[in-house]
Amino acid sequence: MTLPRRLWAAVEPLHAVVYFAPETAVAAKAVGLRGYWMGYFAGRLAPLGPIGPAAATSMLFGFAPAMVARALPDAWSFAAPADVVDTRLSAVETALARVLSEVDELAALLERAVDACRFDGRPLAAAWSAVPRPSGVLGRLWLAATILREHRGDGHVLAAVHAGLSGLETTLTHIGDGVIGRDDVQPHRGWSDEDWAQAVARLRDRGVLDASGSLTSAGASLRRGIEDDTDRLASAPVEALGEAGVARVLELAVPLSRAVIDAGVVPVPNPMGVPRP
């Protein structure tokens, strides 16, 4: 596994707490948002301001447009984006405090990695990078992990689009590679069975998937190319840390991420394909 990928796998669970911790759902409800998915879309996109569904779907990439449109722009009639950001940060600090301690060094290392990022063509990462760093170390840790996550995620979208894939088609290559299963993804991304079947047919016609839905040799090559491009586009934080710095991040982050997963805060398997590091 490449260094950028190892860095992602080690740190991603620390970000992913925000999607599963009960504190996040309680905070979203308290600020006025209605239902889990309104809280998800508003919470993830709030640093961008009162964004509409078309732009949101484009950036999120893997979600069905109709699913996004059920939450946006209605969310902003219930809660202001700035309030959503503030309550989300507070909630995740509380959630992390249940599991983690002694994260000062890791937070500082991740912030050094963030400082090396460029945000050209990376709207989600750019938006989160503009959020002021919290005073508490757990908030700092989560925000840095989130910026790095969205930086890599934005790069992954660029790589997939360059490869000629839509968001759903990209998801199908993950499934075809055995990374995640359809049941882990489809209910959480809003795609109908018809949408799914049409996307599968397009990838079969292109020679990316075989009759069973697995990647063909050409599909595996396409998948490797996307992952290699994603790693290349995520290389700046790794270069800033250096091999020794990345090794130290892994040494510190892996036990913390395992603790988050083992405590049941982040389930495995999950729709993002985040493994237990």
Side-chain angles (χ1 to χ4, degrees):
M1 187 183 291
T2 64
L3 280 182
R5 220 168 299 177
R6 291 178 67 193
L7 179 64
W8 167 79
V11 174
E12 177 74 355
L14 302 177
H15 161 78
V17 166
V18 74
Y19 304 126
F20 303 103
E23 289 89 346
T24 306
V26 170
K29 183 177 180 181
V31 82
L33 299 174
R34 299 185 175 184
Y36 174 85
W37 285 110
M38 181 177 282
Y40 172 91
F41 291 122
R44 191 172 171 196
L45 296 162
L48 289 151
I51 190 171
T57 301
S58 173
M59 283 182 276
L60 296 174
F61 195 56
F63 287 88
M67 184 175 183
V68 181
R70 284 196 292 272
L72 302 177
D74 285 356
W76 314 124
S77 67
F78 299 113
D83 293 337
V84 175
V85 172
D86 289 344
T87 56
R88 196 168 181 82
L89 283 167
S90 178
V92 81
E93 285 180 321
T94 302
L96 288 173
R98 289 194 283 113
V99 184
L100 306 184
S101 61
E102 302 298 326
V103 301
D104 297 70
E105 183 183 0
L106 179 58
L109 285 167
L110 296 186
E111 286 172 344
R112 192 206 309 174
V114 166
D115 288 341
C117 293
R118 291 183 57 181
F119 300 107
D120 311 271
R122 301 177 199 250
L124 279 171
W128 279 103
S129 75
V131 173
R133 287 177 178 172
S135 57
V137 68
L138 288 172
R140 287 173 45 213
L141 175 75
W142 182 82
L143 180 60
T146 296
I147 297 166
L148 291 172
R149 191 262 192 172
E150 299 294 12
H151 181 267
R152 182 180 177 89
D154 285 341
H156 184 65
V157 172
L158 293 172
V161 171
H162 178 69
L165 297 180
S166 69
L168 177 53
E169 290 165 351
T170 304
T171 298
L172 288 169
T173 66
H174 281 284
I175 293 171
D177 201 23
V179 176
I180 47 179
R182 177 175 180 172
D183 291 343
D184 298 322
V185 178
Q186 189 178 2
H188 307 288
R189 294 294 180 265
W191 299 105
S192 68
D193 289 341
E194 182 180 0
D195 294 329
W196 202 272
Q198 290 174 353
V200 167
R202 289 194 299 271
L203 292 181
R204 285 177 180 164
D205 290 344
R206 188 172 165 180
V208 173
L209 297 180
D210 63 21
S212 70
S214 297
L215 292 177
T216 63
S217 58
S221 177
L222 179 71
R223 176 88 231 144
R224 283 193 302 272
I226 292 171
E227 293 302 324
D228 290 345
D229 284 345
T230 300
D231 286 342
R232 177 176 56 80
L233 292 168
S235 63
V238 171
E239 291 169 0
L241 291 170
E243 287 191 20
V246 173
R248 183 59 176 157
V249 168
L250 298 179
E251 182 181 0
L252 295 168
V254 166
L256 299 180
S257 288
R258 287 176 177 169
V260 163
I261 289 170
D262 293 345
V265 182
V266 175
V268 174
N270 49 70
M272 297 96 69
V274 180
R276 182 181 186 273

